[in-house]
Amino acid sequence: MTESLLFVESQPASPDLVDEYHRWHDDVHVPEMLTIDGFVSARRWQTDGPTFVTLYEIDTDVNTARTNLKAAFAEGRMTTPVAVETQPPPVMRYLSLVNEARQ
């Protein structure tokens, strides 16, 4: 069951790098993220501009997910972003489930 989410908002470094941005995201970054304990799925959407939003579903609490992601970076299991705008850097927000409504 999804306990939390990681919301990431990013964009390509330039319009001519859009294809490279998508290749890195789809072929490298998302697969790496899904090897981290707790991260179980990822979906991406495009806004009405050049920005993309990725939601990672996490089956553990935010503190554990954050710790696991930091460990993956520290251990060199995450590659350097390719064709991603870094100034300003991508926006990252962890979201905790407060209430679940069902129909």
Side-chain angles (χ1 to χ4, degrees), residues 2 7 11 15 17 28 37 40-41 46 48 52 60 72 83 86 98 100 102-103:
T2 301
F7 169 98
Q11 61 186 25
L17 294 174
V28 178
D37 287 342
V40 296
S41 71
Q46 183 172 6
D48 58 355
F52 295 86
T60 188
T86 59
V98 175
E100 185 173 358
R102 295 182 184 257
Q103 290 184 332

Side-chain angles (χ1 to χ4, degrees), residues 4-26:
S4 49
L5 298 170
L6 174 56
F7 169 98
V8 180
E9 187 176 311
S10 65
Q11 61 186 25
S14 69
D16 59 318
L17 294 174
V18 171
D19 290 341
E20 191 174 351
Y21 169 89
H22 287 304
R23 266 192 305 281
W24 173 77
H25 234 301
D26 295 340

Side-chain angles (χ1 to χ4, degrees), residues 81-92:
V82 172
V84 177
E85 179 61 58
T86 59
Q87 294 302 322
V91 172
M92 293 178 59

Side-chain angles (χ1 to χ4, degrees), residues 69-90:
L69 181 57
K70 285 182 183 180
F73 274 103
E75 294 165 5
R77 293 187 284 136
M78 302 298 292
T79 59
T80 303
V82 172
V84 177
E85 179 61 58
T86 59
Q87 294 302 322

